Amino acid sequence: MTDLQEPRRRALLPFLDLKRHGNRSHVTCFYKCGNACDSAIPNQSDNPTFADVVQTAFSRRNMLKAAGAGALIVAAGPLAPAAANERGPSGRPGGSTRGGALTFRPVEQNTLDELVTAQGYRYSVVMRWGDPVVAGAPEFDIARQTPEAQAKQFGYNCDYIGLLPLDDKDREALLVVNHEYTNEQLMFSGVATESSPTTPQQKRIAMMAHGISVVEVRRHGNTGEWRPVRNGRRNRRITADTPMEFTGPAAGSEYLRTKADPRGRTVLGTLNNCAGGQTPWGTTLHGEENFNQYFGPAAGPVADPERRLARYGISTSAAAGRRWHEVDPRFDVAAEPNEVNRFGWVVEVDPYDPTSRPKKRTAMGRFKHEGADVRIAEDGRVVAYSGDDERFDYIYKFVSKKKFRRGHDRASRAHNLTLLDEGDLYVAQFTGDSAAEIDGTGTLPSDGEFDGTGRWIPLVKNGASMVPGRKVDWVLTFTRLAADELSARGPEWAPTKMDRPEDIQVNPVNGRVYAALTNNTNRGVGTNPAADEANPRSRNRHGHIVEWKETAGAAGERFSWRIFLVAGDPSDPSTYFAGFDKTKVSAISCPDNVEFDPAGNLWISTDGSPSNLPGSNDGLYAVPTEGRERGQVKRFLTVPFGAECSGPLITRDARSVFVAVQHPGETDGSTVDAPSSTWPDRRRVNPFPRPSVAVAYRQDGGRVGS
Ligand code: FEO
Ligand code: CA
Ligand code: CA
């Protein structure tokens, strides 16, 4: 192990069922998603299951043939100048079609309070919660926090990481980071439990700790290390109060109008930004995920006849746990019923222009967007994939009407900034070819694969609603309900209920799409939907990854799919590593964010520990998607105690791996005054954890992973 700073080896605690769903702590469940798993499953629709859906002929040979057919993609990669990182059909950015070999030795599972990299690598911390971002920001001092200071400092609980170039030589860039949520117990001394009251001042600080940071960074020498630029000209903080604009078909809709904004065009802030994406025209996309937990009636109950609140997990009877309505009444759904409809969107930010107004792109629909990942289709239209992170919810695809314009001139960029405002919105249906053999144990069917065909079912097409009796603005604002209602048109219109769709990414080498399904312990339990071929394991505690190939072009309506990984301890017979020898892989659980290196290896960050070592630290894993090593999962790094690994971003030269160390020390009973982690500052300075972005790189300056 390298780079251990005052390592504190922790005794491995016996597993006393201290962990909850996907091995999260109770406090993580409270702060991160408002105890979503304790509420009724929001999707109560009676979509038919696989067995009811007409089977479509499928041949694995066809899928592989299609996958090798070339003519793939233009990928939006890290350090992509507007359209400069495009890869034509044969213009792969290095690596081999057989996948890059991953030569590092896997890191062992551990419970250290340290970021542990593979041998031969080191890491450094780039930005910590509270570090100054914009000019005039004070140095971090946990005892003297103010909303004004926090609004200029790096926010809490970093998640998505984007990196946009500022020069041609990959020496200067803009680091763009989401701040998903706050944990008041680890921010403020004296907050003992999640039910301890917070002061109005603390609530306002927490609001300013949400949102997005933009920070100029510079490469250190000729290494893979990057450091922040003090007072960078484009540095910016976006918070829960930053004015943003609604654009697209639902902008101005009756569902978005409030007392403060009777036109339904301007909203303050973005909340619970989880994953995201980078566009080829040099902007970033930010998913608004568990926005529901910030809203509720101060005095309930409120009526919800159409389930517009319940379908999104918004309480109709009780104020939100953070009680923000006490300092800002818009969070009281009784006082301002439409404010909650103004969250749950994809936000597009132009980090190159610090004065630009972020845009909430309504054409992409409203749900618990994990993130949004963009590709350019063969015909130039823009395709964006987005998962709705909820048990038994859906995967979506947006296809723009207009085409991406190459070139860096002002007119092309202005055009590209409108691409996400008009287009078709689809929801995914996965049909298995071995449906009758799926019994929930994870046993592979007789054809050797969990696989099948898929269909993108239109919700909005050519500007028209495809949901009977519903207008476009309703479909886009209440997209979950709209997707449920599609199945009234027949079983072939029924979207597939998935095991919590998280991050989705396109492989820059083989053009296939990979979606992380993080877990769903309710699958196959009681009256909940049973296992199906795309979600093949009952009580799915460790999650899986599905891989698909668009068979009618990236903008088309058909795909073929197969499961790439069924995660867990490899000695568990229900796991599957793309057929690779399970004695030679790392245990992995709860895949969350995914990323590709330029050679097409998949990198997976996790939000939960495998059953062979419950409570062991989360990490970042890499796995080839092609060649003899396809499926050989290796643990590249682990994050400090109590943390989740998010973000991952690999630079286009593959010399740097950025990770967001989210919620270090977030274990039950851990507080500022008695924390379970002191990473990264340690005892002498700040003896409590600070969520931080770190960068890992090879000591010899070479490419990461190989
Ligand atoms: Fe914020 Fe779906 O993880
Ligand atoms: Ca099959
Ligand atoms: Ca996530």
Side-chain angles (χ1 to χ4, degrees), residues 24 32 159 180 274-275 289 370 389 500 502-503 592-593 605 607 644-647 662:
R24 280 175 167 181
K32 190 184 188 81
D159 201 306
E180 187 179 16
C274 195
E289 196 192 32
E370 169 73 17
D389 183 3
R500 290 189 54 202
E502 298 261 17
D503 207 1
D592 189 335
N593 298 124
S605 64
D607 181 18
E644 163 188 346
C645 188
S646 327
Q662 190 183 100

mmCIF file with all atom_site columns, all heavy atoms in Angstrom, residues 24 32 159 180 274-275 289 370 389 500 502-503 592-593 605 607 644-647 662, ligand 3:
data_model
loop_
_atom_site.group_PDB
_atom_site.id
_atom_site.type_symbol
_atom_site.label_atom_id
_atom_site.label_alt_id
_atom_site.label_comp_id
_atom_site.label_asym_id
_atom_site.label_entity_id
_atom_site.label_seq_id
_atom_site.pdbx_PDB_ins_code
_atom_site.Cartn_x
_atom_site.Cartn_y
_atom_site.Cartn_z
_atom_site.occupancy
_atom_site.B_iso_or_equiv
_atom_site.pdbx_formal_charge
_atom_site.auth_seq_id
_atom_site.auth_comp_id
_atom_site.auth_asym_id
_atom_site.auth_atom_id
_atom_site.pdbx_PDB_model_num
ATOM   1   N  N   . ARG A 1 24  ? -25.351 0.293  3.376   1.00 0.00 ? 24  ARG A N   1
ATOM   2   C  CA  . ARG A 1 24  ? -25.202 1.673  3.828   1.00 0.00 ? 24  ARG A CA  1
ATOM   3   C  C   . ARG A 1 24  ? -25.466 1.774  5.322   1.00 0.00 ? 24  ARG A C   1
ATOM   4   O  O   . ARG A 1 24  ? -26.211 0.991  5.886   1.00 0.00 ? 24  ARG A O   1
ATOM   5   C  CB  . ARG A 1 24  ? -26.239 2.545  3.133   1.00 0.00 ? 24  ARG A CB  1
ATOM   6   C  CG  . ARG A 1 24  ? -25.874 2.943  1.739   1.00 0.00 ? 24  ARG A CG  1
ATOM   7   C  CD  . ARG A 1 24  ? -27.047 3.684  1.187   1.00 0.00 ? 24  ARG A CD  1
ATOM   8   N  NE  . ARG A 1 24  ? -26.704 4.372  -0.039  1.00 0.00 ? 24  ARG A NE  1
ATOM   9   C  CZ  . ARG A 1 24  ? -27.591 5.109  -0.699  1.00 0.00 ? 24  ARG A CZ  1
ATOM   10  N  NH1 . ARG A 1 24  ? -28.804 5.240  -0.247  1.00 0.00 ? 24  ARG A NH1 1
ATOM   11  N  NH2 . ARG A 1 24  ? -27.247 5.703  -1.794  1.00 0.00 ? 24  ARG A NH2 1
ATOM   12  N  N   . LYS A 1 32  ? -28.664 10.947 2.615   1.00 0.00 ? 32  LYS A N   1
ATOM   13  C  CA  . LYS A 1 32  ? -28.447 10.869 1.176   1.00 0.00 ? 32  LYS A CA  1
ATOM   14  C  C   . LYS A 1 32  ? -29.756 10.833 0.392   1.00 0.00 ? 32  LYS A C   1
ATOM   15  O  O   . LYS A 1 32  ? -29.904 11.509 -0.605  1.00 0.00 ? 32  LYS A O   1
ATOM   16  C  CB  . LYS A 1 32  ? -27.620 9.627  0.857   1.00 0.00 ? 32  LYS A CB  1
ATOM   17  C  CG  . LYS A 1 32  ? -27.144 9.577  -0.573  1.00 0.00 ? 32  LYS A CG  1
ATOM   18  C  CD  . LYS A 1 32  ? -26.428 8.276  -0.825  1.00 0.00 ? 32  LYS A CD  1
ATOM   19  C  CE  . LYS A 1 32  ? -25.765 8.276  -2.177  1.00 0.00 ? 32  LYS A CE  1
ATOM   20  N  NZ  . LYS A 1 32  ? -24.489 8.959  -2.192  1.00 0.00 ? 32  LYS A NZ  1
ATOM   21  N  N   . ASP A 1 159 ? -19.537 14.531 -5.858  1.00 0.00 ? 159 ASP A N   1
ATOM   22  C  CA  . ASP A 1 159 ? -19.975 13.343 -6.610  1.00 0.00 ? 159 ASP A CA  1
ATOM   23  C  C   . ASP A 1 159 ? -19.427 13.419 -8.034  1.00 0.00 ? 159 ASP A C   1
ATOM   24  O  O   . ASP A 1 159 ? -18.237 13.204 -8.247  1.00 0.00 ? 159 ASP A O   1
ATOM   25  C  CB  . ASP A 1 159 ? -21.500 13.222 -6.563  1.00 0.00 ? 159 ASP A CB  1
ATOM   26  C  CG  . ASP A 1 159 ? -21.967 11.811 -6.853  1.00 0.00 ? 159 ASP A CG  1
ATOM   27  O  OD1 . ASP A 1 159 ? -21.575 11.279 -7.905  1.00 0.00 ? 159 ASP A OD1 1
ATOM   28  O  OD2 . ASP A 1 159 ? -22.720 11.222 -6.057  1.00 0.00 ? 159 ASP A OD2 1
ATOM   29  N  N   . GLU A 1 180 ? -23.593 16.590 -3.791  1.00 0.00 ? 180 GLU A N   1
ATOM   30  C  CA  . GLU A 1 180 ? -24.892 15.922 -3.798  1.00 0.00 ? 180 GLU A CA  1
ATOM   31  C  C   . GLU A 1 180 ? -25.765 16.282 -2.595  1.00 0.00 ? 180 GLU A C   1
ATOM   32  O  O   . GLU A 1 180 ? -26.924 16.625 -2.738  1.00 0.00 ? 180 GLU A O   1
ATOM   33  C  CB  . GLU A 1 180 ? -24.701 14.410 -3.869  1.00 0.00 ? 180 GLU A CB  1
ATOM   34  C  CG  . GLU A 1 180 ? -26.025 13.668 -4.059  1.00 0.00 ? 180 GLU A CG  1
ATOM   35  C  CD  . GLU A 1 180 ? -25.876 12.164 -4.153  1.00 0.00 ? 180 GLU A CD  1
ATOM   36  O  OE1 . GLU A 1 180 ? -24.814 11.636 -3.775  1.00 0.00 ? 180 GLU A OE1 1
ATOM   37  O  OE2 . GLU A 1 180 ? -26.827 11.514 -4.593  1.00 0.00 ? 180 GLU A OE2 1
ATOM   38  N  N   . CYS A 1 274 ? -26.167 14.300 -8.479  1.00 0.00 ? 274 CYS A N   1
ATOM   39  C  CA  . CYS A 1 274 ? -25.444 13.042 -8.268  1.00 0.00 ? 274 CYS A CA  1
ATOM   40  C  C   . CYS A 1 274 ? -24.416 12.868 -9.378  1.00 0.00 ? 274 CYS A C   1
ATOM   41  O  O   . CYS A 1 274 ? -23.364 13.470 -9.351  1.00 0.00 ? 274 CYS A O   1
ATOM   42  C  CB  . CYS A 1 274 ? -26.460 11.921 -8.195  1.00 0.00 ? 274 CYS A CB  1
ATOM   43  S  SG  . CYS A 1 274 ? -25.773 10.415 -7.539  1.00 0.00 ? 274 CYS A SG  1
ATOM   44  N  N   . ALA A 1 275 ? -24.754 12.069 -10.401 1.00 0.00 ? 275 ALA A N   1
ATOM   45  C  CA  . ALA A 1 275 ? -23.804 11.908 -11.492 1.00 0.00 ? 275 ALA A CA  1
ATOM   46  C  C   . ALA A 1 275 ? -24.060 12.976 -12.557 1.00 0.00 ? 275 ALA A C   1
ATOM   47  O  O   . ALA A 1 275 ? -24.907 13.852 -12.378 1.00 0.00 ? 275 ALA A O   1
ATOM   48  C  CB  . ALA A 1 275 ? -23.904 10.508 -12.077 1.00 0.00 ? 275 ALA A CB  1
ATOM   49  N  N   . GLU A 1 289 ? -31.131 14.296 -8.378  1.00 0.00 ? 289 GLU A N   1
ATOM   50  C  CA  . GLU A 1 289 ? -31.560 12.949 -8.024  1.00 0.00 ? 289 GLU A CA  1
ATOM   51  C  C   . GLU A 1 289 ? -32.610 12.933 -6.907  1.00 0.00 ? 289 GLU A C   1
ATOM   52  O  O   . GLU A 1 289 ? -33.784 13.135 -7.164  1.00 0.00 ? 289 GLU A O   1
ATOM   53  C  CB  . GLU A 1 289 ? -30.334 12.095 -7.695  1.00 0.00 ? 289 GLU A CB  1
ATOM   54  C  CG  . GLU A 1 289 ? -30.646 10.598 -7.683  1.00 0.00 ? 289 GLU A CG  1
ATOM   55  C  CD  . GLU A 1 289 ? -29.527 9.774  -7.084  1.00 0.00 ? 289 GLU A CD  1
ATOM   56  O  OE1 . GLU A 1 289 ? -28.843 10.279 -6.181  1.00 0.00 ? 289 GLU A OE1 1
ATOM   57  O  OE2 . GLU A 1 289 ? -29.342 8.628  -7.509  1.00 0.00 ? 289 GLU A OE2 1
ATOM   58  N  N   . GLU A 1 370 ? -30.100 10.130 -12.175 1.00 0.00 ? 370 GLU A N   1
ATOM   59  C  CA  . GLU A 1 370 ? -28.761 9.869  -11.643 1.00 0.00 ? 370 GLU A CA  1
ATOM   60  C  C   . GLU A 1 370 ? -27.765 10.799 -12.336 1.00 0.00 ? 370 GLU A C   1
ATOM   61  O  O   . GLU A 1 370 ? -26.957 11.444 -11.694 1.00 0.00 ? 370 GLU A O   1
ATOM   62  C  CB  . GLU A 1 370 ? -28.395 8.411  -11.906 1.00 0.00 ? 370 GLU A CB  1
ATOM   63  C  CG  . GLU A 1 370 ? -26.943 8.068  -11.655 1.00 0.00 ? 370 GLU A CG  1
ATOM   64  C  CD  . GLU A 1 370 ? -26.601 8.014  -10.181 1.00 0.00 ? 370 GLU A CD  1
ATOM   65  O  OE1 . GLU A 1 370 ? -27.524 7.916  -9.355  1.00 0.00 ? 370 GLU A OE1 1
ATOM   66  O  OE2 . GLU A 1 370 ? -25.397 8.079  -9.856  1.00 0.00 ? 370 GLU A OE2 1
ATOM   67  N  N   . ASP A 1 389 ? -32.851 6.647  -10.547 1.00 0.00 ? 389 ASP A N   1
ATOM   68  C  CA  . ASP A 1 389 ? -32.367 5.832  -9.429  1.00 0.00 ? 389 ASP A CA  1
ATOM   69  C  C   . ASP A 1 389 ? -33.437 5.634  -8.364  1.00 0.00 ? 389 ASP A C   1
ATOM   70  O  O   . ASP A 1 389 ? -33.527 6.383  -7.399  1.00 0.00 ? 389 ASP A O   1
ATOM   71  C  CB  . ASP A 1 389 ? -31.112 6.462  -8.815  1.00 0.00 ? 389 ASP A CB  1
ATOM   72  C  CG  . ASP A 1 389 ? -30.561 5.569  -7.704  1.00 0.00 ? 389 ASP A CG  1
ATOM   73  O  OD1 . ASP A 1 389 ? -31.124 4.469  -7.482  1.00 0.00 ? 389 ASP A OD1 1
ATOM   74  O  OD2 . ASP A 1 389 ? -29.581 5.966  -7.062  1.00 0.00 ? 389 ASP A OD2 1
ATOM   75  N  N   . ARG A 1 500 ? -32.716 -0.146 -9.601  1.00 0.00 ? 500 ARG A N   1
ATOM   76  C  CA  . ARG A 1 500 ? -32.082 1.141  -9.316  1.00 0.00 ? 500 ARG A CA  1
ATOM   77  C  C   . ARG A 1 500 ? -31.038 1.543  -10.371 1.00 0.00 ? 500 ARG A C   1
ATOM   78  O  O   . ARG A 1 500 ? -29.818 1.419  -10.139 1.00 0.00 ? 500 ARG A O   1
ATOM   79  C  CB  . ARG A 1 500 ? -31.450 1.168  -7.911  1.00 0.00 ? 500 ARG A CB  1
ATOM   80  C  CG  . ARG A 1 500 ? -32.479 1.181  -6.785  1.00 0.00 ? 500 ARG A CG  1
ATOM   81  C  CD  . ARG A 1 500 ? -31.843 1.438  -5.437  1.00 0.00 ? 500 ARG A CD  1
ATOM   82  N  NE  . ARG A 1 500 ? -31.043 2.653  -5.462  1.00 0.00 ? 500 ARG A NE  1
ATOM   83  C  CZ  . ARG A 1 500 ? -30.060 2.923  -4.610  1.00 0.00 ? 500 ARG A CZ  1
ATOM   84  N  NH1 . ARG A 1 500 ? -29.770 2.065  -3.645  1.00 0.00 ? 500 ARG A NH1 1
ATOM   85  N  NH2 . ARG A 1 500 ? -29.384 4.043  -4.706  1.00 0.00 ? 500 ARG A NH2 1
ATOM   86  N  N   . GLU A 1 502 ? -28.394 3.504  -12.188 1.00 0.00 ? 502 GLU A N   1
ATOM   87  C  CA  . GLU A 1 502 ? -27.468 4.575  -11.796 1.00 0.00 ? 502 GLU A CA  1
ATOM   88  C  C   . GLU A 1 502 ? -26.817 5.144  -13.055 1.00 0.00 ? 502 GLU A C   1
ATOM   89  O  O   . GLU A 1 502 ? -27.478 5.440  -14.023 1.00 0.00 ? 502 GLU A O   1
ATOM   90  C  CB  . GLU A 1 502 ? -26.431 4.022  -10.807 1.00 0.00 ? 502 GLU A CB  1
ATOM   91  C  CG  . GLU A 1 502 ? -27.051 3.515  -9.498  1.00 0.00 ? 502 GLU A CG  1
ATOM   92  C  CD  . GLU A 1 502 ? -26.949 4.510  -8.359  1.00 0.00 ? 502 GLU A CD  1
ATOM   93  O  OE1 . GLU A 1 502 ? -26.702 5.696  -8.613  1.00 0.00 ? 502 GLU A OE1 1
ATOM   94  O  OE2 . GLU A 1 502 ? -27.130 4.096  -7.208  1.00 0.00 ? 502 GLU A OE2 1
ATOM   95  N  N   . ASP A 1 503 ? -25.522 5.248  -13.007 1.00 0.00 ? 503 ASP A N   1
ATOM   96  C  CA  . ASP A 1 503 ? -24.777 5.884  -14.086 1.00 0.00 ? 503 ASP A CA  1
ATOM   97  C  C   . ASP A 1 503 ? -24.806 5.007  -15.349 1.00 0.00 ? 503 ASP A C   1
ATOM   98  O  O   . ASP A 1 503 ? -24.805 3.781  -15.269 1.00 0.00 ? 503 ASP A O   1
ATOM   99  C  CB  . ASP A 1 503 ? -23.331 6.058  -13.608 1.00 0.00 ? 503 ASP A CB  1
ATOM   100 C  CG  . ASP A 1 503 ? -22.631 7.213  -14.275 1.00 0.00 ? 503 ASP A CG  1
ATOM   101 O  OD1 . ASP A 1 503 ? -23.243 7.904  -15.098 1.00 0.00 ? 503 ASP A OD1 1
ATOM   102 O  OD2 . ASP A 1 503 ? -21.451 7.426  -13.953 1.00 0.00 ? 503 ASP A OD2 1
ATOM   103 N  N   . ASP A 1 592 ? -21.993 1.857  -9.013  1.00 0.00 ? 592 ASP A N   1
ATOM   104 C  CA  . ASP A 1 592 ? -22.739 3.119  -8.966  1.00 0.00 ? 592 ASP A CA  1
ATOM   105 C  C   . ASP A 1 592 ? -22.344 4.002  -10.149 1.00 0.00 ? 592 ASP A C   1
ATOM   106 O  O   . ASP A 1 592 ? -23.091 4.144  -11.102 1.00 0.00 ? 592 ASP A O   1
ATOM   107 C  CB  . ASP A 1 592 ? -22.470 3.794  -7.615  1.00 0.00 ? 592 ASP A CB  1
ATOM   108 C  CG  . ASP A 1 592 ? -23.358 4.992  -7.369  1.00 0.00 ? 592 ASP A CG  1
ATOM   109 O  OD1 . ASP A 1 592 ? -23.831 5.602  -8.345  1.00 0.00 ? 592 ASP A OD1 1
ATOM   110 O  OD2 . ASP A 1 592 ? -23.571 5.353  -6.203  1.00 0.00 ? 592 ASP A OD2 1
ATOM   111 N  N   . ASN A 1 593 ? -21.149 4.566  -10.125 1.00 0.00 ? 593 ASN A N   1
ATOM   112 C  CA  . ASN A 1 593 ? -20.710 5.401  -11.248 1.00 0.00 ? 593 ASN A CA  1
ATOM   113 C  C   . ASN A 1 593 ? -19.807 4.576  -12.153 1.00 0.00 ? 593 ASN A C   1
ATOM   114 O  O   . ASN A 1 593 ? -19.025 3.755  -11.674 1.00 0.00 ? 593 ASN A O   1
ATOM   115 C  CB  . ASN A 1 593 ? -19.955 6.628  -10.748 1.00 0.00 ? 593 ASN A CB  1
ATOM   116 C  CG  . ASN A 1 593 ? -20.840 7.512  -9.886  1.00 0.00 ? 593 ASN A CG  1
ATOM   117 O  OD1 . ASN A 1 593 ? -20.519 7.808  -8.763  1.00 0.00 ? 593 ASN A OD1 1
ATOM   118 N  ND2 . ASN A 1 593 ? -21.973 7.907  -10.415 1.00 0.00 ? 593 ASN A ND2 1
ATOM   119 N  N   . SER A 1 605 ? -17.102 2.677  -9.828  1.00 0.00 ? 605 SER A N   1
ATOM   120 C  CA  . SER A 1 605 ? -16.988 3.046  -8.417  1.00 0.00 ? 605 SER A CA  1
ATOM   121 C  C   . SER A 1 605 ? -18.196 2.495  -7.671  1.00 0.00 ? 605 SER A C   1
ATOM   122 O  O   . SER A 1 605 ? -19.267 2.329  -8.250  1.00 0.00 ? 605 SER A O   1
ATOM   123 C  CB  . SER A 1 605 ? -16.854 4.553  -8.246  1.00 0.00 ? 605 SER A CB  1
ATOM   124 O  OG  . SER A 1 605 ? -18.011 5.205  -8.696  1.00 0.00 ? 605 SER A OG  1
ATOM   125 N  N   . ASP A 1 607 ? -20.768 1.778  -4.070  1.00 0.00 ? 607 ASP A N   1
ATOM   126 C  CA  . ASP A 1 607 ? -21.489 2.367  -2.950  1.00 0.00 ? 607 ASP A CA  1
ATOM   127 C  C   . ASP A 1 607 ? -22.002 1.245  -2.047  1.00 0.00 ? 607 ASP A C   1
ATOM   128 O  O   . ASP A 1 607 ? -23.181 1.159  -1.758  1.00 0.00 ? 607 ASP A O   1
ATOM   129 C  CB  . ASP A 1 607 ? -22.647 3.220  -3.492  1.00 0.00 ? 607 ASP A CB  1
ATOM   130 C  CG  . ASP A 1 607 ? -23.431 3.899  -2.386  1.00 0.00 ? 607 ASP A CG  1
ATOM   131 O  OD1 . ASP A 1 607 ? -22.914 3.997  -1.259  1.00 0.00 ? 607 ASP A OD1 1
ATOM   132 O  OD2 . ASP A 1 607 ? -24.565 4.325  -2.648  1.00 0.00 ? 607 ASP A OD2 1
ATOM   133 N  N   . GLU A 1 644 ? -18.001 6.740  0.289   1.00 0.00 ? 644 GLU A N   1
ATOM   134 C  CA  . GLU A 1 644 ? -18.423 6.127  -0.963  1.00 0.00 ? 644 GLU A CA  1
ATOM   135 C  C   . GLU A 1 644 ? -17.509 6.686  -2.049  1.00 0.00 ? 644 GLU A C   1
ATOM   136 O  O   . GLU A 1 644 ? -17.087 7.832  -1.971  1.00 0.00 ? 644 GLU A O   1
ATOM   137 C  CB  . GLU A 1 644 ? -19.883 6.533  -1.206  1.00 0.00 ? 644 GLU A CB  1
ATOM   138 C  CG  . GLU A 1 644 ? -20.399 6.339  -2.602  1.00 0.00 ? 644 GLU A CG  1
ATOM   139 C  CD  . GLU A 1 644 ? -21.801 6.966  -2.767  1.00 0.00 ? 644 GLU A CD  1
ATOM   140 O  OE1 . GLU A 1 644 ? -22.451 7.291  -1.740  1.00 0.00 ? 644 GLU A OE1 1
ATOM   141 O  OE2 . GLU A 1 644 ? -22.220 7.137  -3.910  1.00 0.00 ? 644 GLU A OE2 1
ATOM   142 N  N   . CYS A 1 645 ? -17.201 5.844  -3.028  1.00 0.00 ? 645 CYS A N   1
ATOM   143 C  CA  . CYS A 1 645 ? -16.368 6.318  -4.130  1.00 0.00 ? 645 CYS A CA  1
ATOM   144 C  C   . CYS A 1 645 ? -17.279 6.804  -5.251  1.00 0.00 ? 645 CYS A C   1
ATOM   145 O  O   . CYS A 1 645 ? -18.157 6.075  -5.697  1.00 0.00 ? 645 CYS A O   1
ATOM   146 C  CB  . CYS A 1 645 ? -15.479 5.179  -4.625  1.00 0.00 ? 645 CYS A CB  1
ATOM   147 S  SG  . CYS A 1 645 ? -14.256 5.725  -5.831  1.00 0.00 ? 645 CYS A SG  1
ATOM   148 N  N   . SER A 1 646 ? -17.119 8.043  -5.670  1.00 0.00 ? 646 SER A N   1
ATOM   149 C  CA  . SER A 1 646 ? -17.934 8.581  -6.759  1.00 0.00 ? 646 SER A CA  1
ATOM   150 C  C   . SER A 1 646 ? -17.037 9.245  -7.792  1.00 0.00 ? 646 SER A C   1
ATOM   151 O  O   . SER A 1 646 ? -15.829 9.274  -7.662  1.00 0.00 ? 646 SER A O   1
ATOM   152 C  CB  . SER A 1 646 ? -18.939 9.634  -6.277  1.00 0.00 ? 646 SER A CB  1
ATOM   153 O  OG  . SER A 1 646 ? -19.394 9.379  -5.011  1.00 0.00 ? 646 SER A OG  1
ATOM   154 N  N   . GLY A 1 647 ? -17.740 9.815  -8.750  1.00 0.00 ? 647 GLY A N   1
ATOM   155 C  CA  . GLY A 1 647 ? -17.050 10.651 -9.712  1.00 0.00 ? 647 GLY A CA  1
ATOM   156 C  C   . GLY A 1 647 ? -16.463 9.965  -10.898 1.00 0.00 ? 647 GLY A C   1
ATOM   157 O  O   . GLY A 1 647 ? -16.701 10.420 -11.986 1.00 0.00 ? 647 GLY A O   1
ATOM   158 N  N   . GLN A 1 662 ? -16.763 10.686 -1.296  1.00 0.00 ? 662 GLN A N   1
ATOM   159 C  CA  . GLN A 1 662 ? -17.993 11.240 -0.740  1.00 0.00 ? 662 GLN A CA  1
ATOM   160 C  C   . GLN A 1 662 ? -18.262 10.647 0.636   1.00 0.00 ? 662 GLN A C   1
ATOM   161 O  O   . GLN A 1 662 ? -18.044 9.478  0.874   1.00 0.00 ? 662 GLN A O   1
ATOM   162 C  CB  . GLN A 1 662 ? -19.175 10.948 -1.682  1.00 0.00 ? 662 GLN A CB  1
ATOM   163 C  CG  . GLN A 1 662 ? -20.420 11.696 -1.279  1.00 0.00 ? 662 GLN A CG  1
ATOM   164 C  CD  . GLN A 1 662 ? -21.634 11.400 -2.130  1.00 0.00 ? 662 GLN A CD  1
ATOM   165 O  OE1 . GLN A 1 662 ? -22.495 10.625 -1.735  1.00 0.00 ? 662 GLN A OE1 1
ATOM   166 N  NE2 . GLN A 1 662 ? -21.704 12.014 -3.288  1.00 0.00 ? 662 GLN A NE2 1
HETATM 167 CA CA  . CA  B 2 .   ? -24.429 7.822  -7.755  1.00 0.00 ? 3   CA  B CA  1
#
